[in-house]
Amino acid sequence: MSFVHDVDRRKILKAAASTIAAASLSRSVLAAGLAVAPQRGASDNGAFGPLKHADAGVLNVAYVDAGPETGPVVILLHGWPYDVHAFVDVVPTLVRKGFRVIVSHLRGYGATRFISDDTPRNGQQAALAVDVVDLMDALKIPRAVIGGFDWGARTADIVAAQWPERVVGLVSVSGYLIGSQKANETPLPPKAELQWWYQYYFATERGRMGYDKYRREFAKLIWQIASPKWTFDNATFERSAVAFDNPDHVAVSIHNYRWRLGLADGEAKYHDLERALAAAPSISVPTITLEGDANGAPHPDPSSYAKKFLGKYAHRLIAGGIGHNLPQEAPEAFAAAIMDVATGA
């Protein structure tokens, strides 16, 4: 789940096995639990087509690439503990409207891998944002609409703030999530701190071992707490849960939360970027922020971040018992926001 200490914060593996593409399904796609779909990269049957891979910065990124290659680009970013399937019902809508949609597994998820064994398994916010810019460079994407939730929203916010020339528009669930270690030093009232129980658990070696041993149980619990009115079934959960089998998942996740509390160091190459982020930079690109009316995860009040968006801006509260995983729980609303910032509506 997303962490904003400084601002008080949806049938599986169903595809046409008779096609030639299915016969050539790569081992990495199988490992990621994805299935071949009858159109380029997207399907309305709850599955994605085979993943593509690209060397980008320190990663070999596994990503969905759906829609026309010459269409305007949308990049969608998932959070913790979720995966690319958070957008499985968003992508077909955007593809039908002519967009090319990229949905990548973040570092530590699915079939994304570090190229070198020597690269730190770093989860700090700056590293995740640089991953997105590196992927855009590798795919020769000069500009894109970027949208996300949880870790993905924070990452999208950072790219929009620091590389606005690369961002056509921004859709951010729970709004402005850029943080800093310094701001996170400030204690919250006890009731607010209670919501971050797993953060303190992860600060211990017992917590790291517990998350490693109980990845699925832990993630399912977070899904239930963060989206208390979302009645997902076990097949929906398992479709995403295979992404947590990534060998770097635990290390990246634990570092992310420890770094926020100043309990783990970041990499020196990101120090300048983190200094800029610690100043809570404003975001000038057209933006729509979204919030579900039943978000059980900690999230800031919209009034606390509205002034951080200096360009065309709107906030939308999505009703109907919508929780933290808004793109999967309310895909129509999320897709509509993407299309609106893309077209300037």
Side-chain angles (χ1 to χ4, degrees):
M1 284 188 293
S2 206
F3 176 74
V4 195
H5 218 165
D6 50 316
V7 258
D8 265 348
R9 357 223 219 247
R10 166 179 10 157
K11 283 149 173 152
I12 185 172
L13 295 177
K14 180 181 178 184
S18 61
T19 63
I20 295 174
S24 62
L25 192 63
S26 71
R27 181 174 62 186
S28 62
V29 173
L30 289 171
L34 300 177
V36 175
Q39 66 183 76
R40 182 180 179 270
S43 174
D44 289 295
N45 66 1
F48 283 126
L51 292 177
K52 291 188 174 183
H53 288 257
D55 285 347
V58 299
L59 301 175
N60 178 266
V61 180
Y63 63 99
V64 175
D65 189 349
E69 295 183 9
T70 58
V73 181
V74 174
I75 296 175
L76 302 178
L77 305 170
H78 67 83
W80 175 90
Y82 306 92
D83 85 323
V84 295
H85 289 96
F87 302 101
V88 74
D89 294 320
V90 172
V91 174
T93 298
L94 297 177
V95 168
R96 283 193 290 270
K97 295 296 184 179
F99 291 94
R100 178 186 179 191
V101 188
I102 307 295
V103 192
S104 65
H105 274 297
L106 303 184
R107 54 170 63 196
Y109 292 80
T112 290
R113 295 288 186 273
F114 287 89
I115 294 172
S116 171
D117 291 339
D118 297 329
T119 302
R121 272 42 178 173
N122 180 353
Q124 73 182 105
Q125 61 179 0
L128 293 165
V130 170
D131 289 347
V132 175
V133 178
D134 285 342
L135 182 60
M136 293 178 72
D137 289 344
L139 300 182
K140 296 179 170 42
I141 297 172
R143 301 180 75 224
V145 173
I146 302 183
F149 73 105
D150 196 84
W151 289 18
R154 177 180 300 104
T155 302
D157 288 348
I158 294 171
V159 177
Q162 298 301 119
W163 295 274
E165 72 280 0
R166 307 297 297 269
V167 181
V168 175
L170 169 68
V171 174
S172 180
V173 177
S174 296
Y176 188 92
L177 301 179
I178 300 173
S180 74
Q181 289 180 317
K182 181 64 177 177
N184 291 342
E185 292 176 0
T186 303
L188 298 176
K191 188 175 180 179
E193 295 282 16
L194 181 62
Q195 295 181 296
W196 299 110
W197 62 273
Y198 59 88
Q199 161 181 281
Y200 301 111
Y201 181 60
F202 287 170
T204 69
E205 179 60 13
R206 178 186 177 96
R208 185 200 64 76
M209 293 172 62
Y211 186 52
D212 194 9
K213 182 176 181 179
Y214 297 111
R215 299 182 198 196
R216 278 168 166 74
E217 294 87 346
F218 207 104
K220 183 176 285 189
L221 176 61
I222 296 296
W223 282 33
Q224 293 165 340
I225 293 171
S227 300
K229 297 186 179 182
W230 182 31
T231 55
F232 60 89
D233 57 25
N234 194 59
T236 297
F237 174 75
E238 283 297 327
R239 182 180 59 190
S240 289
V242 294
F244 314 145
D245 294 333
N246 183 297
D248 302 308
H249 177 72
V250 172
V252 170
S253 298
I254 296 298
H255 184 267
N256 178 284
Y257 289 101
R258 291 182 179 180
W259 178 87
R260 300 184 199 192
L261 292 179
L263 301 176
D265 293 331
E267 291 180 77
K269 65 181 180 179
Y270 300 121
H271 283 355
D272 288 345
L273 178 53
E274 290 293 356
R275 264 194 295 272
L277 298 177
S282 297
I283 294 173
S284 61
V285 305
T287 300
I288 295 175
T289 57
L290 301 173
E291 193 59 81
D293 66 341
N295 187 356
H299 57 279
D301 187 280
S303 64
S304 71
Y305 56 71
K307 292 183 179 179
K308 301 303 295 183
F309 300 101
L310 305 182
K312 186 174 182 179
Y313 173 69
H315 177 76
R316 299 176 182 176
L317 178 65
I318 310 304
I322 305 304
H324 189 61
N325 185 2
L326 191 149
Q328 198 162 2
E329 298 176 61
E332 300 88 353
F334 189 87
I338 292 288
M339 290 186 285
D340 285 346
V341 296
T343 62

